[in-house]
Amino acid sequence: MQDWHSLKFRIVVLGLIGWVFIAFAYAAEAAPPAQTPAEGQKIFQEKCVGCHTIGKGKLVGPDLQGITQKRAKAWLVQWITAPDKMLAAKDPIATQLVAEYNNLAMPNMALTDAQVASLIAYLETQSGGAAPQPTQPPQPQTQPAPAAVVGEPAAGKALFNGGQRFKNGGPPCMGCHSVGGIGALGGGALGPDLTGAYAKYNGDAGLTAFLNSAPTVTMNAVWARQPMTPQEQADLVAFLKQAAVTERPIDAVGQLAVLAVAGMIVLLVIAQLYWRKRLVAVRRPMVTKNRIA
Amino acid sequence: MQNATPLDILLFVAFPYLAVGLAIFVGVLRYFNDRFSFSSQSSQFLENRALFWGSVPWHYGIVLVLTAHLLAALFPTQWGNLIADQTRLYVLELTGLALALMAILGLTLLIVRRITNARAFSVTTFWDWVLLADLLLQVILGFWIALFYRWGSDWYLHTAVPWLWSLATFNPQIQYVTVLPQVVQWHFLNAFLITALFPFTRLVHFVTFPITYWWRPYQVVIWNRQPRTGKS
């Protein structure tokens, strides 16, 4: 550590650090969007329609018509902002809701306070001040994928395990998810195992709506710019319906660990064989000989 | 980036730029002021038996694993096509896991060697220890992710790669990575910490990768040994 560690050098480096931090302090101060019902509608279309309708019956989650009358505003704000925290705190309403909807908790959508306010403003306009109409029978959902699209389980399986690529470039499902009935080492483990997903997401309607908007934050980051086509959604739903009856979720951690250790040993043996003459070849005998002499 | 917290921006935008800025700026400065320090001082003459089982598995493991990371980041479409087949995915992931284990084993041995061998210990600086510890942390995190958050070679293309490209094109998009599990985020951040350590430590020897060995002509080594008999 010689002259490039001089005082001048340190000042320049500190200056560089300071400059970068100041530059990004500005970026952090991005102006929040206006809190309007229109803004809220946009957010609803992007993030909520995967699980909720307004006045069209329940999907994966409840119908939200009249929700602003049904629940206190403070509760709604808290719930939409951080459902995970509310569940962790054992909020009674939240706990009951999750039990009612197949133990499927609402994900934290990472919305800002302003976005939550816009969303509630929108939900208020949609409730129209009127009480929800219990007489209206819940209609089966056909909104995201028209009934004309018929899913093919085999095609869905190919999409799941990568045999067939998604038209818009999305990753094969098995990159992150496992499911009964695919390859020996199963699928990914970043996301949940989807073996029971068909029932959990309320069948064709719920699952199609979910795939259509890929609403969770992790899914959304990947799929928002390369959505699945309606046909692909239908194929996947058909496959997951079939997969739901195979019982075994695959957990391959043990197998993988053993195979990895075996692979490492093979590589080390190769190294030993390839370089077995490394210490006996030239230098060492010469050094020894010359020591004796 | 509408939902990014200031902390996220600091960690996933400012810090990477800072790390790369330091790596380039200090690296260039060091090259022009202290060129002969661009190496990893060899301790081979001090001890060379444990060195083999440390250095060889470590370097082959880490160079191949790092190459896979770089190739996937540079050619995400082709990489995606490569691993779209289930068998190819399994083979690639298992190879990666074995190489990662090899790297962990090698690096652990190198650290143990530098602690237990008095001669190697005495030539090890504070920054060498920092670097060794940080590299070990990074490969253990990587192995952990590969094992418990499968299949990284797949989702890497749709999370870290778009994030890295967004940084490279000066249009930072961090929503791809802020939603991932913490272990994964630590792996990303630590990668940039290593980038920042690069110009200040012996890690600079990374840029002296002996790529010319593949095409350079043979070198003839001639030993001038004294004849054993007939000394004059």
Side-chain angles (χ1 to χ4, degrees):
Chain A
M1 310 282 143
Q2 291 86 9
D3 51 348
W4 58 278
H5 253 191
S6 67
L7 181 67
K8 202 168 112 194
F9 164 76
R10 283 180 215 185
I11 291 171
V12 172
V13 169
L14 283 177
L16 188 75
I17 294 172
W19 178 80
V20 171
F21 274 68
I22 290 166
F24 286 101
Y26 280 108
E29 294 293 316
Q35 298 159 39
T36 60
E39 183 65 27
Q41 182 174 17
K42 212 174 113 222
I43 299 166
F44 190 85
Q45 291 303 331
E46 277 171 21
K47 311 231 173 197
C48 310
V49 293
C51 299
H52 299 283
T53 70
I54 298 174
K56 288 180 181 160
K58 65 180 182 182
L59 216 49
V60 179
D63 185 335
L64 296 182
Q65 184 159 52
I67 195 70
T68 50
Q69 273 100 40
K70 198 172 173 189
R71 308 272 180 230
K73 190 166 176 178
W75 186 90
L76 270 183
V77 170
Q78 239 186 320
W79 176 242
I80 298 172
T81 309
D84 45 345
K85 282 186 194 140
M86 262 181 123
L87 283 167
K90 302 232 182 322
D91 176 86
I93 303 176
T95 314
Q96 192 211 330
L97 272 174
V98 171
E100 206 175 310
Y101 286 88
N102 300 321
N103 287 318
L104 196 68
M106 180 157 103
N108 186 327
M109 306 301 291
L111 297 170
T112 61
D113 293 348
Q115 287 175 315
V116 173
S118 301
L119 207 44
I120 290 176
Y122 170 66
L123 290 171
E124 270 165 354
T125 63
Q126 289 306 297
S127 297
Q133 299 162 344
T135 47
Q136 189 184 358
Q139 302 159 356
Q141 261 303 306
T142 49
Q143 175 200 347
V149 184
V150 179
E152 187 59 52
K157 183 175 178 177
L159 287 168
F160 195 97
N161 68 21
Q164 173 71 41
R165 307 302 308 280
F166 283 98
K167 191 163 159 270
N168 295 324
C173 312
M174 80 173 281
C176 300
H177 298 283
S178 200
V179 75
I182 59 165
L185 293 172
L190 183 70
D193 188 300
L194 299 181
T195 306
Y198 184 79
K200 217 171 176 186
Y201 283 81
N202 215 3
D204 289 340
L207 202 52
T208 310
F210 187 91
L211 290 176
N212 191 48
S213 71
T216 61
V217 279
T218 331
M219 291 280 281
N220 207 264
V222 176
W223 292 96
R225 69 203 159 100
Q226 45 190 15
M228 304 169 210
T229 65
Q231 181 63 52
E232 288 167 342
Q233 291 163 25
D235 290 342
L236 278 174
V237 169
F239 169 62
L240 288 173
K241 185 176 183 179
Q242 203 183 47
V245 289
T246 62
E247 77 295 351
R248 60 160 193 157
I250 304 171
D251 187 14
V253 172
Q255 288 174 51
L256 274 170
V258 170
L259 286 169
V261 171
M264 177 189 71
I265 291 171
V266 169
L267 291 172
L268 291 179
V269 167
I270 292 172
Q272 166 61 21
L273 290 177
Y274 189 77
W275 283 291
R276 66 187 177 282
K277 291 182 183 162
R278 66 188 177 277
L279 295 179
V280 293
V282 182
R283 193 178 66 83
R284 205 172 282 265
M286 286 175 72
V287 171
T288 324
K289 269 180 204 164
N290 280 307
R291 269 198 196 131
I292 295 163
Chain B
M1 295 225 296
Q2 50 180 350
N3 299 323
T5 65
L7 180 67
D8 285 340
I9 294 190
L10 193 72
L11 293 178
F12 294 103
V13 183
F15 180 57
Y17 280 124
L18 181 70
V20 173
L22 279 175
I24 294 171
F25 177 74
V26 180
V28 168
L29 208 73
R30 179 168 171 180
Y31 186 77
F32 285 110
N33 287 293
D34 190 11
R35 192 164 300 180
F36 287 112
S37 76
F38 262 68
S39 81
S40 185
Q41 286 183 335
S42 172
S43 57
Q44 195 178 1
F45 282 158
L46 306 178
E47 195 286 328
N48 71 358
R49 285 178 191 273
L51 181 67
F52 176 83
W53 290 111
S55 186
V56 168
W58 160 249
H59 282 103
Y60 276 89
I62 196 64
V63 166
L64 288 172
V65 168
L66 196 60
T67 306
H69 282 71
L70 287 177
L71 281 179
L74 290 174
F75 308 103
T77 315
Q78 289 78 1
W79 190 267
N81 290 335
L82 174 74
I83 56 168
D85 179 80
Q86 205 169 280
T87 314
R88 290 200 296 257
L89 173 73
Y90 287 163
V91 169
L92 190 101
E93 285 277 345
L94 276 172
T95 313
L97 280 169
L99 288 170
L101 267 186
M102 219 167 85
I104 293 172
L105 177 95
L107 191 57
T108 310
L109 259 176
L110 288 176
I111 293 172
V112 170
R113 167 181 174 270
R114 277 191 181 265
I115 294 171
T116 55
N117 186 289
R119 300 159 113 191
F121 183 83
S122 65
V123 296
T124 310
T125 66
F126 169 75
W127 286 106
D128 291 342
W129 293 119
V130 171
L131 182 65
L132 284 168
D134 202 28
L135 288 173
L136 185 65
L137 173 70
Q138 186 68 348
V139 281
I140 289 176
L141 282 173
F143 180 72
W144 189 265
I145 292 164
L147 196 58
F148 292 104
Y149 298 96
R150 301 179 303 274
W151 300 108
S153 50
D154 230 330
W155 53 253
Y156 171 65
L157 303 174
H158 300 271
T159 53
V161 172
W163 168 57
L164 292 172
W165 274 106
S166 78
L167 290 177
T169 52
F170 298 102
N171 175 26
Q173 302 287 320
I174 59 172
Q175 74 273 22
Y176 297 114
V177 290
T178 51
V179 296
L180 290 172
Q182 290 226 335
V183 187
V184 181
Q185 297 186 2
W186 281 111
H187 187 67
F188 295 167
L189 292 175
N190 201 44
F192 281 106
L193 184 62
I194 292 171
T195 310
L197 282 175
F198 159 84
F200 296 103
T201 60
R202 63 164 62 210
L203 191 57
V204 286
H205 81 275
F206 175 83
V207 297
T208 64
F209 191 89
I211 196 158
T212 52
Y213 275 29
W214 280 326
W215 62 79
R216 67 140 208 227
Y218 289 115
Q219 287 180 351
V220 182
V221 177
I222 298 173
W223 291 77
N224 282 321
R225 41 197 305 198
Q226 287 199 333
R228 289 205 50 139
T229 53
K231 283 182 199 162
S232 53

